[in-house]
Amino acid sequence: MTDKKIIPMSDDIATPARRPLTLRDVSEASGVSEMTVSRVLRNRGDVSVATREKVLKAAKTLGYVPNKIAGALASSRVNLVAVIIPSMSNMVFPEVMTGISEVLDDTPLQPVVGVTNYLPEKEEEVLFEMLSWRPSGVIIAGLEHSDASRAMLQAAGVPVVEIMDVDGEPIDAVVGISHRRAGREMARAIVKSGYQNIGFLGTKMPLDHRARKRFEGFTEALAKEGIEVMDQEFYSGGSALAKGREMTEAMLKRSEDLDFLYYSNDMIGAGGLLYCLDAGINVPSDLGLAGFNGVELLDGLPRKLATMDSGRKEIGREAARIIAGRTDGSITESGQRIELTPKLEPGETLRRYR
Amino acid sequence: MTDKKIIPMSDDIATPARRPLTLRDVSEASGVSEMTVSRVLRNRGDVSVATREKVLKAAKTLGYVPNKIAGALASSRVNLVAVIIPSMSNMVFPEVMTGISEVLDDTPLQPVVGVTNYLPEKEEEVLFEMLSWRPSGVIIAGLEHSDASRAMLQAAGVPVVEIMDVDGEPIDAVVGISHRRAGREMARAIVKSGYQNIGFLGTKMPLDHRARKRFEGFTEALAKEGIEVMDQEFYSGGSALAKGREMTEAMLKRSEDLDFLYYSNDMIGAGGLLYCLDAGINVPSDLGLAGFNGVELLDGLPRKLATMDSGRKEIGREAARIIAGRTDGSITESGQRIELTPKLEPGETLRRYR
DNA sequence: ATGAAAGCGCTAACAC
DNA sequence: GTGTTAGCGCTTTCAT
């Protein structure tokens, strides 16, 4: 085998399709008009089985991927739903997304996520960016938005669902829980269980309006019982579990009389719980603990933390249902309001609850 | 004041802009041609300060939001990067996203996420959907794709970066760690620490190729030392922490001689650790434990779990850098390969390491 | 520094 | 059942 044939590698073969394929390519390959090709590819209108198959075959062999940009411009229909949330890394929004996806998966709609990091300016940016894609609807966390953001949402001319929170004035539809009420109910449950000296531990987040509202509801309900929060501390950054641990230790050391700690989220609550167990503190008889959110992630802790389920998945589902319904015309009204009930989960860190 | 003027509320005022505003509206409002308005709004070309301000003012008062659909079609430039990942709910991909966003935030590019749930068919769907928006690049988890998916990626004519894993044949660029090597190194560290009777606990996920490769590397390295995995178990669904707990208990009960447990991820590892501490098992002297991923979330556990950092954020960053560089022309080559080194974090659950 | 014309790739609306 | 025509709202290109 001395004389091997040398086959030059053509660039055209090595590098596939520089120019993305268009309908026209499929049209030419199948000998069917662009319009009919378009019909086949979208399952619109009547097309004979014969041509349909010709087209499908051509599209497949060419590897045609339709250009939604052009389609959207021509039809002024964009099957995207903008979902704007403050953060992706805590446990709550992934669950909301799950709920949204569950519902949208049965529709032509697709969620697109934007993250604001709890910053109003960033929210404006993200919103502007997303609206410039002309989505079919917007799902946005919270009721507090800058004037500019509210104006954009109003002018967008598409359904807007504000989620998570119902304490405030919605722009259009709203799905969530009352965080004020959640705070109040937790306060009542704690007092009912016989605790009196209550500490609060939370995130240092002036822009986390929902945490703030819970705290307000909490202190308000305590005030009605003549109780004041005995000690409080706020953190920012770092691992929530570790922070919960540290803050709990610090607080218990400086305020020895505390018999209950209310955490603004389950993760720091879990950290606190782990600290208490390590330190040999008797939970819940000497010290009660409660968090917020009801994150499944934490099932498996030595003791189940008392918490209040915020119904995140359900919120996502309901919001998506509203968008889907109003997009496909099955819902014609606007401004719907769905208030879910936060559910107390007493767990094992709340003494003789009831 | 008996004769109040009654000002009828016009629909035009109450209901803002049914029709989204166009460049033309801004043009008319400002008395500047559409073309110049476009230039101002994109900071392209020379425009006199006077007209620039006229235009900006008109755009702002009208509340104009540009239509990217039209812009993208006209310019055939879409500043989106498709990011395709198997799951959003575990701790790993949110971190990858953080890395990606960090880098893309300094560019005009924007990530758009699609989730495949570890299903190849779903991956195909999501990919098709995303490519139909003609993104500027694709970041996709893993090296295993269906033929159709590979074909689409190849034909897309945009930079493709496969992330997380480097054990296999990339389509174009690749950024990740060798999971086989991660498994091998963990095996060696365990043996070096004097453990002999090793159990494995993982997810029942035939489609999680990276977990599979780790396991393969692990057993391979053990085999070299003449050691076989003594017991193994796989779970699916439920809270990872709780599952780790249950599985650990079950395994330790049926295989009493075990002196080490290797978990396929940190969450089930943490569950196992919590069980052991509850059960009064001496960790790490009687039983060693290790997980995988290095999730910061778990800092704050009673004992720091041995793990191997998979460098998720860095992977995200590097992938984004490649896409950004190739999009803006500062990188012209393709097919780059970046292998990061998984870093062993011995924590406190690995006896006399070294 | 500004404007006019053409067209991106597709679909709505209307023929046939 | 299939084809033709005219845009969708922008940007490119070329003219002025």
Side-chain angles (χ1 to χ4, degrees):
Chain A
M1 299 277 242
T2 53
D3 52 355
K4 295 192 198 130
K5 250 188 204 154
I6 295 175
I7 300 168
M9 185 92 93
S10 138
D11 262 350
D12 289 23
I13 292 172
T15 315
R18 250 329 5 128
R19 169 183 67 76
L21 297 162
T22 67
L23 260 190
R24 179 179 208 109
D25 295 310
V26 183
S27 166
E28 283 169 2
S30 62
V32 176
S33 79
E34 278 188 51
M35 195 53 232
T36 301
V37 171
S38 168
R39 282 195 263 255
V40 170
L41 265 22
R42 289 177 299 143
N43 296 310
R44 284 282 134 93
D46 295 316
V47 180
S48 76
V49 189
T51 48
R52 144 167 269 102
E53 292 195 337
K54 255 194 297 188
V55 169
L56 253 21
K57 184 157 164 268
K60 180 146 210 176
T61 42
L62 290 177
Y64 172 69
V65 177
N67 185 332
K68 289 224 179 197
I69 305 268
L73 183 61
S75 64
S76 42
R77 251 189 293 279
V78 181
N79 289 325
L80 298 176
V81 177
V83 180
I84 296 172
I85 58 182
S87 158
M88 203 65 212
S89 49
N90 60 41
M91 262 73 268
V92 5
F93 293 105
E95 281 210 49
V96 174
M97 285 309 305
T98 305
I100 292 176
S101 300
E102 263 179 43
V103 172
L104 295 190
D105 271 355
D106 298 333
T107 74
L109 298 173
Q110 247 216 333
V112 183
V113 183
V115 175
T116 69
N117 296 319
Y118 289 98
L119 301 173
E121 320 86 67
K122 178 87 179 172
E123 181 179 275
E124 259 174 49
E125 267 177 50
V126 170
L127 193 54
F128 185 84
E129 180 71 24
M130 307 219 86
L131 288 180
S132 71
W133 288 102
R134 302 285 188 264
S136 294
V138 178
I139 296 176
I140 185 167
L143 291 160
E144 284 76 19
H145 313 290
S146 70
D147 288 342
S149 292
R150 296 184 68 92
M152 282 192 266
L153 287 168
Q154 243 137 11
V158 295
V160 174
V161 185
E162 288 166 284
I163 56 169
M164 309 311 288
D165 188 7
V166 300
D167 295 332
E169 278 308 313
I171 292 169
D172 175 3
V174 58
V175 180
I177 64 168
S178 163
H179 286 262
R180 247 182 260 284
R181 175 174 163 190
R184 282 200 304 268
E185 291 193 357
M186 185 54 91
R188 283 195 213 109
I190 290 167
V191 173
K192 227 176 186 171
S193 294
Y195 299 100
Q196 299 262 15
N197 303 321
I198 300 165
F200 180 87
L201 301 91
T203 38
K204 190 185 296 161
M205 281 246 193
L207 296 168
D208 184 343
H209 299 283
R210 294 177 285 289
R212 193 201 74 222
K213 289 172 187 175
R214 285 198 299 281
F215 185 53
E216 288 170 3
F218 188 69
T219 52
E220 175 202 317
L222 286 186
K224 282 216 176 107
E225 308 277 351
I227 299 177
E228 247 184 52
V229 167
M230 192 174 206
D231 195 354
Q232 58 190 67
E233 187 167 340
F234 302 88
Y235 79 100
S236 63
S239 157
L241 211 56
K243 282 289 174 186
R245 209 174 245 284
E246 292 163 22
M247 289 165 73
T248 302
E249 177 167 14
M251 185 175 285
L252 290 177
K253 290 223 160 107
R254 72 166 175 258
S255 309
E256 296 186 337
D257 294 339
L258 285 170
D259 65 359
F260 200 94
L261 298 178
Y262 180 39
Y263 297 85
S264 78
N265 69 62
D266 285 345
M267 278 311 280
I268 54 172
L273 173 59
L274 290 174
Y275 166 75
C276 292
L277 297 179
D278 272 12
I281 294 167
N282 209 326
V283 177
S285 34
D286 293 343
L287 183 73
L289 303 172
F292 178 81
N293 257 337
V295 304
E296 192 200 33
L297 180 85
L298 292 175
D299 290 355
L301 283 183
R303 206 152 305 177
K304 206 165 172 343
L305 185 68
T307 189
M308 194 158 266
D309 182 25
S310 51
R312 302 172 299 291
K313 214 160 163 182
E314 192 54 31
I315 287 176
R317 279 200 213 99
E318 290 296 351
R321 277 189 203 117
I322 291 175
I323 299 285
R326 284 170 60 181
T327 301
D328 71 17
S330 64
I331 302 177
T332 51
E333 320 83 68
S334 60
Q336 26 280 104
R337 176 195 159 91
I338 301 183
E339 177 172 351
L340 303 179
T341 313
K343 206 172 118 259
L344 176 70
E345 297 177 353
E348 304 160 332
T349 63
L350 196 51
R351 184 166 75 200
R352 60 162 187 272
Y353 179 65
R354 250 187 86 84
Chain B
M1 295 280 238
T2 51
D3 52 354
K4 295 190 200 137
K5 250 187 204 153
I6 293 176
I7 300 167
M9 187 92 93
S10 136
D11 262 348
D12 288 25
I13 293 173
T15 315
R18 244 343 352 132
R19 169 182 68 78
L21 296 163
T22 69
L23 217 40
R24 179 182 209 106
D25 295 310
V26 182
S27 165
E28 284 169 1
S30 62
V32 177
S33 79
E34 278 188 51
M35 196 51 237
T36 301
V37 171
S38 169
R39 281 194 266 256
V40 171
L41 265 21
R42 289 176 299 143
N43 296 311
R44 285 280 132 92
D46 296 316
V47 180
S48 74
V49 189
T51 48
R52 145 168 269 100
E53 293 194 337
K54 254 195 297 187
V55 169
L56 252 21
K57 182 157 164 271
K60 180 147 210 175
T61 41
L62 290 177
Y64 172 67
V65 177
N67 185 332
K68 289 224 180 197
I69 305 269
L73 182 62
S75 65
S76 41
R77 254 191 290 277
V78 181
N79 289 326
L80 298 177
V81 176
V83 180
I84 297 171
I85 58 182
S87 158
M88 203 66 212
S89 50
N90 60 42
M91 263 71 267
V92 5
F93 293 105
E95 281 211 50
V96 175
M97 287 309 306
T98 305
I100 292 176
S101 300
E102 261 179 46
V103 173
L104 294 191
D105 271 354
D106 298 332
T107 75
L109 298 173
Q110 248 218 333
V112 183
V113 183
V115 175
T116 69
N117 296 320
Y118 290 98
L119 301 172
E121 321 86 67
K122 178 87 179 170
E123 181 178 275
E124 260 175 47
E125 266 175 52
V126 170
L127 193 54
F128 186 83
E129 179 71 22
M130 307 220 85
L131 289 180
S132 71
W133 289 101
R134 301 285 187 266
S136 294
V138 178
I139 296 176
I140 185 167
L143 291 159
E144 285 76 19
H145 313 289
S146 70
D147 288 342
S149 293
R150 296 183 69 91
M152 282 192 265
L153 286 168
Q154 244 137 11
V158 295
V160 173
V161 184
E162 288 166 284
I163 57 169
M164 309 312 287
D165 188 8
V166 300
D167 296 331
E169 279 306 313
I171 293 169
D172 176 2
V174 59
V175 179
I177 64 168
S178 163
H179 287 260
R180 246 182 260 284
R181 175 174 163 190
R184 282 200 304 268
E185 291 194 358
M186 186 53 91
R188 284 195 211 107
I190 291 168
V191 173
K192 228 175 186 172
S193 294
Y195 299 101
Q196 299 263 13
N197 303 320
I198 299 165
F200 181 87
L201 301 92
T203 36
K204 191 184 297 163
M205 282 247 197
L207 297 168
D208 184 345
H209 299 284
R210 294 178 285 289
R212 192 201 74 223
K213 289 172 187 175
R214 286 199 298 281
F215 185 53
E216 287 170 2
F218 187 70
T219 52
E220 176 202 315
L222 286 185
K224 282 215 177 107
E225 309 276 351
I227 299 177
E228 248 184 50
V229 167
M230 193 175 207
D231 194 354
Q232 59 191 67
E233 187 167 342
F234 302 87
Y235 79 101
S236 64
S239 156
L241 212 55
K243 282 289 174 184
R245 210 172 245 285
E246 293 163 22
M247 289 166 74
T248 302
E249 177 167 16
M251 187 176 283
L252 290 177
K253 291 222 160 110
R254 70 167 176 255
S255 310
E256 296 186 338
D257 294 340
L258 285 170
D259 65 359
F260 199 94
L261 299 178
Y262 180 38
Y263 296 85
S264 78
N265 69 62
D266 286 346
M267 278 312 280
I268 54 172
L273 173 58
L274 289 174
Y275 167 77
C276 291
L277 297 178
D278 272 11
I281 294 168
N282 209 326
V283 177
S285 34
D286 293 343
L287 182 73
L289 304 171
F292 178 82
N293 257 335
V295 303
E296 193 201 34
L297 181 84
L298 292 174
D299 290 355
L301 283 184
R303 206 152 305 179
K304 206 169 172 337
L305 185 69
T307 188
M308 194 158 266
D309 182 26
S310 51
R312 303 172 299 290
K313 212 160 163 183
E314 193 53 31
I315 288 176
R317 279 199 213 100
E318 290 295 350
R321 277 189 203 117
I322 292 175
I323 299 285
R326 283 169 61 181
T327 300
D328 71 17
S330 63
I331 302 177
T332 51
E333 321 82 69
S334 59
Q336 25 280 100
R337 176 194 158 90
I338 300 183
E339 177 173 348
L340 303 178
T341 315
K343 205 172 119 259
L344 176 69
E345 296 177 353
E348 303 162 331
T349 62
L350 196 53
R351 185 165 73 200
R352 59 161 187 273
Y353 179 64
R354 256 185 83 85

